[in-house]
Amino acid sequence: MSGAGTDHRRAGILLVDDMEDNLTALEAVLASLNEPLVRARSGEEALKVLLRQPIALVLLDVRMPGMDGFETAAHIKRLDQTRDVPIIFLTGAGDDSGYAFRGYATGAADYVTKPFDPWVLRAKVSVFLDLYRKGREVERLRGEIQDLKRRAGEVT
């Protein structure tokens, strides 16, 4: 798994797929974003990663042995520290048409069928990275405001 020493100011992108070729393809498409790409080969491994380091976005394969993507997403959305991490489901074009509905019902932010257009996927991921960065900036500014209020109270 790459990205173990992720800089906490940078947004990790978690790639979850049981197929090595799919992970390699995702890395090739997203490498130009210059953000840490973290691999997980199962839902269980993905949950461990999410609890160890900050992740801006999860790209999650629907069909995996053991814990499938829907079950993994349900676990992600149940945990306080991960419930706000957006999930983009990835699935084969021939999969059940009810998968998209089930994905959104599980809390997915988006749903992309394979084979995907690399430009479209990169654009979608970029939007979520931008939202992540803006959210971190809001948190930083909120902390600064609280510090200023505390200091103002100490001075008076």
Side-chain angles (χ1 to χ4, degrees):
M1 177 172 30
S2 62
T6 300
D7 178 348
H8 287 254
R9 291 169 296 173
R10 295 183 66 208
I13 303 167
L14 180 56
L15 313 174
V16 187
D17 201 304
D18 61 311
M19 304 288 291
E20 181 68 26
D21 290 347
N22 292 341
L23 290 170
T24 301
L26 286 169
E27 287 174 333
V29 167
L30 302 174
S32 65
L33 297 175
N34 294 317
E35 294 294 345
L37 301 174
V38 183
R39 289 172 161 229
R41 300 280 309 251
S42 68
E44 293 87 352
E45 190 178 341
L47 291 170
K48 289 177 186 174
V49 169
L50 283 159
L51 295 174
R52 281 197 309 259
Q53 67 187 85
I55 296 294
L57 173 67
V58 177
L59 297 179
L60 180 58
D61 184 33
V62 169
R63 299 177 78 201
M64 296 184 294
M67 187 186 308
D68 69 14
F70 299 124
E71 192 176 350
T72 302
H75 285 294
I76 290 169
K77 294 302 178 182
R78 267 189 227 118
L79 298 171
D80 288 339
Q81 60 267 51
T82 59
R83 77 169 33 126
D84 294 328
V85 177
I87 299 168
I88 296 177
F89 274 115
L90 302 171
T91 190
D95 284 340
D96 184 334
S97 61
Y99 275 16
F101 173 77
R102 191 170 168 202
Y104 288 119
T106 309
D110 206 346
Y111 195 89
V112 177
T113 55
K114 301 175 196 172
F116 51 80
D117 180 325
W119 296 101
V120 170
L121 183 64
R122 197 170 19 250
K124 288 176 184 259
V125 169
S126 292
V127 168
F128 285 105
L129 290 173
D130 191 42
L131 289 170
Y132 177 86
R133 288 185 201 105
K134 286 179 175 150
R136 300 300 74 78
E137 181 65 11
V138 167
E139 286 177 15
R140 185 188 68 76
L141 292 170
R142 185 176 289 135
E144 285 183 19
I145 290 168
Q146 292 302 323
D147 285 346
L148 290 171
K149 285 181 177 179
R150 252 192 317 278
R151 288 185 192 150
E154 292 172 5
V155 173
T156 57

